Amino acid sequence: MANIIDGKAVSARVKEEIAKETAAVKAKYGISIGLAVVIVGDDPASRIYVNNKKKACETVGFTSYEYALGADTTQEELLQLIDKLNKDDNVNGILVQLPLPKHLDEKAVINSISPEKDVDAFHPVNVGKIMIGEYSFLPCTPAGIMELIASTGVEIKGKECVVVGRSNIVGKPMSMLLLHQSGTVTICHSKTNDLAEHCRKADILVVAVGVPKLVTGDMIKDGAVVIDVGMNRLENGKLCGDVDFDSAKEKASFITPVPGGVGPMTIAMLMKNTLTAAKIKHGIE
Ligand code: GUN
């Protein structure tokens, strides 16, 4: 029976550390730290995420600036706002909540954010820096997962790490981070032959594909660390992950629940990136 990794507790600890450091930096250097959150349209899930991000800013002592734009906002208007935020000294981080309405060009919007303020780490400059291991920011979900793995005390070095999913936001950067920690990394995806065979080799298994209960207990090695990034809404309204928790927990040594595992970590890491951006701007070690 696995230990359950408590994402809420780890997230609270990370936010507490950030709050302490923020207070110290503010006191010593007399600066404030600001995060601009841009939301376009009225997607209800995005609204909840944005509210949670603003709440987290309050918790750690940042100023949040919300820009809620109408669903009919043009590409030009959005780019003009980002240009203004890029130049605004009070803004250390810029987060444009995705997905954007269909008429907007998401890639062009991400590319317009100054890499120094790109606290999502989605800009190609930051993506490239991750590849060569010289990054300032890590994308929030993989960074949060690294914290969760660290919280188990299990070493990554030399271990078989299997990442299921190859998205730009999770799968690809996750694989790089595990590789930087000297894991032996396999990336699986929807076209992989015999997914179960690969998963069974994993000492550390990260699943981020958006398919409910794709990975079952019989696909998990005894004692593996299992990280479930999935957040799927079932027909009965319940949330479930990409891993079948009930069968997987019988095999794993540590496992994340859904909800309450990876989810709470992402906002904590967003706060961490914003603090990092402010420290770099002000030349603080
Ligand atoms: N929408 C869902 N997750 C994210 C995220 O991590 N960053 C942004 N900007 N939008 C999102």
Side-chain angles (χ1 to χ4, degrees):
M1 176 72 178
N3 295 292
I4 312 297
I5 303 173
D6 185 347
K8 274 192 208 160
V10 180
S11 161
R13 174 178 53 74
V14 170
K15 279 190 280 191
E16 213 170 284
E17 286 165 9
I18 295 168
K20 269 192 204 150
E21 197 176 347
T22 299
V25 162
K26 278 178 159 179
K28 187 165 178 194
Y29 299 93
I31 60 170
S32 68
I33 299 175
L35 175 68
V37 183
V38 181
I39 176 170
V40 186
D42 44 19
D43 178 61
S46 289
R47 184 73 253 167
I48 293 170
Y49 285 133
V50 164
N51 288 347
N52 288 339
K53 286 168 187 175
K54 283 166 55 188
K55 219 183 289 171
C57 281
E58 258 175 54
T59 305
V60 300
F62 299 165
T63 308
S64 67
Y65 304 94
E66 181 183 319
Y67 295 85
L69 309 181
D72 57 354
T73 300
T74 64
Q75 180 80 8
E76 202 186 336
E77 285 167 336
L78 183 53
L79 292 180
Q80 268 173 9
L81 171 62
I82 291 170
D83 184 52
K84 190 180 90 165
L85 297 174
N86 281 338
K87 293 172 179 155
D88 187 338
D89 274 338
N90 293 317
V91 171
N92 300 104
I94 302 170
L95 181 130
V96 179
Q97 187 64 32
L98 304 177
L100 289 169
K102 290 216 167 14
H103 67 281
L104 296 171
D105 179 351
E106 220 160 77
K107 216 183 254 184
V109 170
I110 289 169
N111 290 356
S112 75
I113 297 171
S114 162
E116 290 78 27
K117 296 190 179 187
D118 168 39
V119 285
D120 265 325
F122 290 168
H123 191 287
V125 165
N126 288 323
V127 173
K129 283 182 165 186
I130 291 160
M131 183 67 102
I132 57 174
E134 291 180 10
Y135 40 79
S136 315
F137 310 126
L138 291 174
C140 301
T141 302
I145 292 170
M146 293 305 276
E147 288 282 342
L148 292 178
I149 296 172
S151 79
T152 67
V154 171
E155 197 180 25
I156 295 168
K157 187 166 74 183
K159 297 282 166 59
E160 291 290 334
C161 303
V162 174
V163 178
V164 186
R166 54 175 157 178
S167 70
N168 290 331
I169 292 179
V170 184
K172 284 185 204 165
M174 188 70 237
S175 307
M176 278 300 127
L177 300 191
L178 292 165
L179 184 60
H180 292 326
Q181 296 295 318
S182 301
T184 301
V185 183
T186 303
I187 308 174
C188 298
H189 45 79
S190 56
K191 306 293 183 293
T192 295
N193 288 336
D194 206 345
L195 176 67
E197 186 72 12
H198 286 288
C199 290
R200 275 186 214 114
K201 290 188 182 141
D203 301 307
I204 297 171
L205 179 64
V206 180
V207 191
V209 276
V211 180
K213 302 187 184 184
L214 176 72
V215 172
T216 45
D218 59 305
M219 297 163 72
I220 291 171
K221 184 175 175 174
D222 270 324
V225 174
V226 177
I227 307 287
D228 186 354
V229 189
M231 185 67 87
N232 310 291
R233 181 79 61 186
L234 297 176
E235 273 177 15
N236 64 11
K238 274 191 157 178
L239 279 178
C240 91
D242 295 347
V243 176
D244 177 40
F245 185 81
D246 290 337
S247 61
K249 76 176 192 307
E250 301 303 326
K251 302 287 283 294
S253 59
F254 291 91
I255 187 168
T256 58
V258 176
V262 175
M265 291 305 297
T266 57
I267 292 184
M269 303 323 283
L270 176 70
M271 299 299 114
K272 188 170 177 186
N273 283 346
T274 306
L275 174 60
T276 301
K279 283 165 64 183
I280 292 172
K281 175 173 187 268
H282 295 283
I284 301 166
E285 280 292 303

